[in-house]
Amino acid sequence: MKPTRQSVILKIISQENVETQNQLMQALARRGINSTQATVSRDIKDMRLVKKLGSDGKYHYVVGDTDDSEVYMFRLQIIFKECVTSYETAQNIIVIKTLPGLADAACSTLDSMDIPELVGSIAGDDTAFLAMKDCESAKNLCEEIRKML
């Protein structure tokens, strides 16, 4: 449950300006995940979330600016271990199947990793399409996905 909850938290803070732990708990509850303040607090610490001043003049949760590659890898591992149900290459395209509602989180994380061979991604509800530069790049990324799972 923890990895799923944390992947949903990442999705929430990427889509909404969450200012408090209470707001985060409410956003989780709207998605069917009931959690205590203590659990949310531990998740925030584990995920290295920090509050950052937004353009609206208010502070909201974001992933900390420590080591970007480490943070992205952490996020990707959480999402992939708990949410990816299958993946397959079709020439230079990778098709990733996820649990309902989490394909965009998988794409967002991959997009933020700045993978040079990744041309672009499209996410539906439970399916993501990744366009790679060539077939070899698609095979290599699938091997990395296999290692994560």
Side-chain angles (χ1 to χ4, degrees):
M1 183 66 180
K2 178 179 177 178
T4 301
R5 184 181 59 250
Q6 289 184 350
S7 68
V8 172
I9 288 171
L10 291 172
K11 183 177 176 181
I12 290 168
I13 67 168
S14 72
Q15 296 173 341
E16 302 174 25
N17 287 339
V18 178
E19 299 173 34
T20 66
Q21 290 180 6
N22 191 42
Q23 286 177 337
L24 188 53
M25 287 171 37
Q26 291 171 355
L28 285 166
R30 286 192 302 272
R31 289 162 176 83
I33 300 173
N34 294 318
S35 190
T36 65
Q37 184 275 328
T39 299
V40 168
S41 180
R42 279 191 300 274
D43 286 338
I44 289 169
K45 182 179 178 185
D46 288 348
M47 299 167 62
R48 300 182 187 120
L49 301 182
V50 296
K51 286 191 174 181
K52 182 177 178 182
L53 185 62
S55 59
D56 59 357
K58 297 179 182 179
Y59 286 90
H60 60 274
Y61 285 106
V62 297
V63 176
D65 291 333
T66 53
D67 177 4
D68 285 346
S69 62
E70 181 182 321
V71 170
Y72 290 139
M73 201 50 147
F74 174 75
R75 290 172 65 189
L76 190 61
Q77 287 173 346
I78 289 172
I79 291 167
F80 274 63
K81 283 183 181 179
E82 279 298 310
C83 305
V84 172
T85 58
S86 68
Y87 60 96
E88 188 67 48
T89 60
Q91 295 184 7
N92 70 317
I93 303 292
I94 300 173
V95 179
I96 298 175
K97 293 287 200 172
T98 69
L99 295 174
L102 295 172
D104 62 337
C107 279
S108 177
T109 303
L110 286 164
D111 288 341
S112 66
M113 289 181 71
D114 195 30
I115 301 168
E117 297 82 14
L118 178 61
V119 178
S121 65
I122 299 173
D125 183 54
D126 63 356
T127 305
F129 290 91
L130 308 176
M132 304 300 291
K133 284 189 177 179
D134 53 46
C135 295
E136 188 65 29
S137 299
K139 288 178 187 175
N140 291 340
L141 185 56
C142 274
E143 179 59 24
E144 291 300 315
I145 292 170
R146 186 191 64 74
K147 290 177 185 176
M148 282 187 268
L149 298 176

